[in-house]
């Protein structure tokens, strides 16, 4: 899952981003309204975490724009992260289009739990995802094939999670780069192929992720 973290406090932004990356999320940072706008013009995000008090604008205005401005790519979900704790502020944030609202200071574990909840909305998935022989525990960051636990890196876990959220779908390398890697990924490297090869090897035989020639990759049942 790829997250846009819009936060003008650089120390807080770095701490939260590091924690989220350790949870196997891809995270891009924007410290201003303008930075966020630039990223949203070119990149699709699964979740935007929006601070309201930005130095060059109000996060509420950005949330409202996402609903109707075709020049911006609207994230699938949005979460307000702000020190504004009055009921009127919460109502304004949700009415502006946010899916959730979390007041600073917050516990990091709660932020991660809310992100998991946002990711589950509309999918029918719970805290565990089951696809054929594969089981993924999103909270514990554990994965199994059959009864055997898989020893996955954070990136491998994130890649498998994305495949398991889209079982049977053909996913291009560009899809995987956009949702599993962050803005620092070089689209001209073999990064997707290398991580995917490692994941396939750890998943074992028969193969669960197959290559669809000239199109991409698909997670399906073994033949």
């Amino acid at each position: 899952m790829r997250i846009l973290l819009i936060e003008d406090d650089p120390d807080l932004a770095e701490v939260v981003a590091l924690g989220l990356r350790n949870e196997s999320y891809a995270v891009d940072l924007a410290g201003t309204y303008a930075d966020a706008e630039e990223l949203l013009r070119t990149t699709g995000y699964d979740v935007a975490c929006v601070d309201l008090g930005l130095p060059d604008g109000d996060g509420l205005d950005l949330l409202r724009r996402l609903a109707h401005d075709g020049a911006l790519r609207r994230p699938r979900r949005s979460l307000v992260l702000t020190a504004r704790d009055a009921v009127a502020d919460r109502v304004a944030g949700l009415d502006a289009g946010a899916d959730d609202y979390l007041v600073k200071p917050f516990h990091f574990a709660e932020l991660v739990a809310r992100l998991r909840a946002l990711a589950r909305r509309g999918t029918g998935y719970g805290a565990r995802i089951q696809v054929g022989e594969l089981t993924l525990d999103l909270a514990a960051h554990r994965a199994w094939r059959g009864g055997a636990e898989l020893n996955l890196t954070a990136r491998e876990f994130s890649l498998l999670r994305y495949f398991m959220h889209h079982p049977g779908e053909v996913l291009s390398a560009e899809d995987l780069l956009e949702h599993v890697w962050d803005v620092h990924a070089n689209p001209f490297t073999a990064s997707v192929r290398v991580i995917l090869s490692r994941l396939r090897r750890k998943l074992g035989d028969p193969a669960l992720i197959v290559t669809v020639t000239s199109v991409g990759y698909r997670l399906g049942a073994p033949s």
Side-chain angles (χ1 to χ4, degrees):
M1 187 162 76
R2 189 166 181 178
I3 297 170
L4 174 59
L5 177 60
I6 307 170
E7 170 58 58
D8 69 328
D9 181 333
D11 293 331
L12 177 60
E14 288 296 338
V15 169
V16 173
L18 177 61
L20 292 176
R21 288 169 182 146
N22 288 338
E23 293 288 330
S24 79
Y25 295 114
V27 183
D28 295 338
L29 295 176
T32 66
Y33 189 111
D35 291 342
E37 186 178 28
E38 182 178 354
L39 287 168
L40 288 164
R41 288 184 185 278
T42 59
T43 307
Y45 290 97
D46 298 290
V47 179
C49 296
V50 184
D51 183 14
L52 299 185
L54 299 172
D56 56 343
D58 195 312
L60 284 178
D61 294 333
L62 181 60
L63 287 169
R64 295 187 187 103
R65 281 188 61 197
L66 289 172
H68 60 78
D69 191 337
L72 303 181
R73 299 181 65 178
R74 185 177 186 178
R76 292 181 59 249
R77 305 292 179 194
S78 57
L79 168 65
V80 170
L81 291 177
T82 181
R84 301 179 191 175
D85 59 356
V87 172
D89 293 319
R90 296 171 190 264
V91 170
L94 296 171
D95 283 347
D99 296 285
D100 201 356
Y101 196 104
L102 185 58
V103 175
K104 301 175 186 175
F106 53 83
H107 290 284
F108 182 74
E110 182 179 2
L111 171 61
V112 175
R114 286 174 181 263
L115 290 172
R116 288 197 298 266
L118 289 175
R120 292 196 299 268
R121 286 192 187 177
T123 66
Y125 295 118
R128 283 196 173 201
I129 306 176
Q130 183 85 39
V131 176
E133 301 176 79
L134 291 172
T135 303
L136 210 63
D137 188 316
L138 299 175
H141 273 247
R142 299 174 68 186
W144 297 264
R145 179 173 183 175
E149 185 164 1
L150 306 171
N151 182 23
L152 303 181
T153 66
R155 185 74 71 196
E156 292 161 357
F157 184 93
S158 184
L159 185 59
L160 181 58
R161 176 175 58 200
Y162 190 68
F163 271 111
M164 290 178 69
H165 274 125
H166 301 84
E169 296 181 31
V170 178
L171 304 175
S172 68
E174 290 76 16
D175 290 330
L176 300 177
L177 268 172
E178 183 159 289
H179 292 277
V180 180
W181 276 259
D182 60 26
V183 72
H184 300 295
N186 184 342
F188 301 106
T189 69
S191 180
V192 170
R193 189 167 64 250
V194 170
I195 301 299
L196 186 56
S197 176
R198 289 200 328 227
L199 176 60
R200 281 170 153 168
R201 188 165 58 249
K202 291 183 179 182
L203 290 176
D205 295 318
L208 295 178
I209 299 174
V210 298
T211 300
V212 180
T213 305
S214 302
V215 182
Y217 310 93
R218 181 179 64 235
L219 173 67
S223 57

